[in-house]
Amino acid sequence: METQSLTIQIKKVEKSKINEVDFNNLAFGKNYADHMMYCDYKDGKWHTPQIVPYGPMEFHPSTKVFHYGQAVFEGMKAFKDDHGTVHLFRPEQNFERINKSSKRLAIPEFPKDLFFESLEALIKLDYNWVKPGQGNSLYIRPFVIATEEGVAAAPSDSYRFMIITCPSQAYYNKPVKVLFAEKFSRSANGGVGYAKAAGNYGAQFYPTNLAKSKGYDQVIWTDANTHDYLEEAGTMNIFFRIGDKLLTAPTSDRILDGVTRKSVIQLAKDKGIEVEIAPVEVKRIKDAAKVGELKEIFGTGTAATIAKVTAFEHAGEEFPLPEVDKEYSVLMKDSLQDIQYNRVEDKNNWLHPVKP
C-alpha cells in the first residue's frame, strides 16, 4: 500500500514480523524493526525520502563506499515511558553530529526538516517495536554511504542516507575489563577521530581482538604522539573518579563528542560533583590506583549507556578497581535513565516526544 505525505513516500509491510522476536532475549543489533528509511542524493540535491519494508538493497561492486570508505553513522535511542509515549533522547545532537561527520568526509549535509520528519514517521510506523520497561529501547542507526559507481579516487557524486532501527537491551550486561593502549592509536591530530566515520571502528577491531585474547573487553586508547594520555575507549567515552572528582579528556579532533558523555557531565554538575575536563595522564591514573585514590572508571555511550570497569592493565600491571559505596557510575546511569524513561522532570529539555 502506497501513501504520501508532503515530503515522504511510505510503503508499509504487508505483515509485521514483531511476533517473531523474543524481546526478553535480544542480542544487540540482530533484530530489526519492520521498516527503514532511505533518501538519495544525486544531481546536486537530496530527493524524496522513502520509507519501505526493511530488507536488502542492491549495489554495484564498483560502488564507491566499498573502495574509499565514504561512510558515516550515528547511534541514538527511543524510549517508551509508562504512559505509552515514545521519547527520543537529544536527537538534535545526533543530527548535528552526523552532518559534522559528513562534512569531514566530503559528504553533502542532510536537511534538518527531512531528518526529523522522516525519523518521526519511521518511529510512528514501528511504534510497537519500542517496548516500555527498564533497559528496553529502540536503537536508531542513521548512516550515509557513497553510492556512485566508479573506482576513481575522488568523492562520490551520489549518496544514500538511511535510518534503520532495532529493539535493544543493555549492550554490556556485565562490567568490563580494559587494556590501556601502549602501541596502537585510535586517531591522530588532523584526522577523523571526532567524526563517526565507519573506518574509525574498523581500524579498532584488530587491536581490540588482541586485548580480548588477553582477557580484556575493550581498549582505552592513548594519544598517538606519546601514548601517555588516555582518550576514549573503543565504543565509549571514558570517565575516571579520583576521590570525589570525575575526570574526562576534552574533546578534540581525536575524540568523539559523545552525547552520553556531555549528558553525564551536565548531570554531575547538577548534582554538585566536581568534573575536571583536561588531558588524563596514564601515570596519574596508575599512581592514584596504587594509593587507593582511584575509585571508579566507567565508559559512556549510546549503546552502552554507562559501563562499569572492574580492572585495567598497562605495561604488564593489572589494577583491580575497588568496590565503593555510592558509585558515581550507578548514580549517573540511574539519573540518566530516569530522564530517558520520563520518570522525572526533564530540566534540561533533552526529550523529544513522538506520538503515534
Side-chain angles (χ1 to χ4, degrees), residues 220-349:
I220 297 183
W221 305 103
T222 48
D223 69 290
N225 292 333
T226 66
H227 296 289
D228 289 336
Y229 292 89
L230 296 155
E231 299 199 321
E232 67 173 76
T235 57
M236 303 176 288
N237 294 112
I238 204 79
F239 285 80
F240 306 88
R241 177 185 173 186
I242 295 181
D244 291 329
K245 179 193 293 186
L246 277 178
L247 285 66
T248 193
T251 56
S252 65
D253 56 9
R254 303 184 309 278
I255 298 177
L256 189 72
D257 187 13
V259 178
T260 309
R261 171 191 177 275
K262 64 179 66 176
S263 302
V264 165
I265 291 171
Q266 184 60 54
L267 288 173
K269 290 179 177 179
D270 291 346
K271 296 178 184 301
I273 296 171
E274 183 180 357
V275 181
E276 179 182 325
I277 302 173
V280 180
E281 193 173 11
V282 173
K283 183 178 183 300
R284 180 180 181 186
I285 299 304
K286 291 177 71 173
D287 287 347
K290 290 174 181 177
V291 297
E293 292 180 355
L294 180 66
K295 304 299 183 184
E296 294 180 74
I297 301 176
F298 58 88
T300 63
T302 297
T305 307
I306 293 178
K308 176 182 174 180
V309 174
T310 57
F312 72 89
E313 191 261 17
H314 180 262
E317 292 182 281
E318 182 170 291
F319 298 85
L321 274 293
E323 292 290 335
V324 296
D325 294 330
K326 298 181 180 179
E327 294 173 306
Y328 284 179
S329 60
V330 174
L331 176 63
M332 293 298 112
K333 185 173 185 177
D334 288 348
S335 299
L336 191 61
Q337 292 188 331
D338 280 344
I339 295 170
Q340 291 170 334
Y341 290 102
N342 196 30
R343 294 191 289 248
V344 298
E345 182 184 356
D346 176 23
K347 295 180 180 179
N348 294 297
N349 297 314

Side-chain angles (χ1 to χ4, degrees), residues 1 3 8-18 31-38 50-55 57 118-119 121-129 138-141 143 162-167:
M1 179 180 67
T3 61
I8 305 172
Q9 291 182 353
I10 299 174
K11 182 179 181 180
K12 296 182 181 179
V13 295
E14 293 183 1
K15 181 183 178 182
S16 175
K17 59 180 183 288
I18 193 168
N31 299 281
Y32 294 89
D34 287 324
H35 299 90
M36 64 184 185
M37 169 271 190
Y38 73 91
Q50 314 282 322
I51 293 179
V52 298
Y54 178 88
M57 291 186 163
S118 57
L119 175 59
L122 183 63
I123 298 300
K124 288 177 182 179
L125 268 183
D126 290 333
Y127 213 78
N128 290 334
W129 286 82
L138 188 73
Y139 183 78
I140 302 166
R141 170 55 61 88
F143 62 102
M162 298 189 66
I163 304 176
I164 58 176
T165 67
C166 57

Side-chain angles (χ1 to χ4, degrees), residues 155-202:
S156 178
D157 63 11
S158 62
Y159 299 87
R160 178 162 289 183
F161 188 103
M162 298 189 66
I163 304 176
I164 58 176
T165 67
C166 57
S168 68
Q169 294 173 320
Y171 189 81
Y172 294 111
N173 54 20
K174 62 180 180 63
V176 297
K177 294 173 63 177
V178 299
L179 189 70
F180 289 1
E182 299 177 66
K183 175 183 178 183
F184 296 102
S185 295
R186 177 183 176 274
S187 60
N189 291 334
V192 297
Y194 69 89
K196 282 189 77 72
N200 286 350
Y201 295 78

Side-chain angles (χ1 to χ4, degrees), residues 70-193:
Q70 269 187 292
V72 299
F73 68 94
E74 269 301 319
M76 50 197 297
K77 281 182 177 178
F79 303 86
K80 184 173 283 184
D81 65 23
D82 291 339
H83 305 289
T85 301
V86 169
H87 298 267
L88 299 168
F89 183 72
R90 306 192 74 176
E92 292 255 358
Q93 296 289 322
N94 299 99
F95 166 74
E96 292 172 3
R97 193 170 62 185
I98 198 167
N99 277 341
K100 184 179 180 181
S101 298
S102 293
K103 186 175 182 179
R104 180 62 180 83
L105 270 76
I107 297 171
E109 296 178 39
F110 197 68
K112 185 174 183 178
D113 57 344
L114 293 186
F115 179 85
F116 278 95
E117 185 177 353
S118 57
L119 175 59
E120 290 192 20
L122 183 63
I123 298 300
K124 288 177 182 179
L125 268 183
D126 290 333
Y127 213 78
N128 290 334
W129 286 82
V130 193
K131 297 299 183 183
Q134 183 70 26
N136 294 321
S137 64
L138 188 73
Y139 183 78
I140 302 166
R141 170 55 61 88
F143 62 102
V144 197
I145 59 171
T147 54
E148 181 189 356
E149 298 167 39
V151 295
S156 178
D157 63 11
S158 62
Y159 299 87
R160 178 162 289 183
F161 188 103
M162 298 189 66
I163 304 176
I164 58 176
T165 67
C166 57
S168 68
Q169 294 173 320
Y171 189 81
Y172 294 111
N173 54 20
K174 62 180 180 63
V176 297
K177 294 173 63 177
V178 299
L179 189 70
F180 289 1
E182 299 177 66
K183 175 183 178 183
F184 296 102
S185 295
R186 177 183 176 274
S187 60
N189 291 334
V192 297

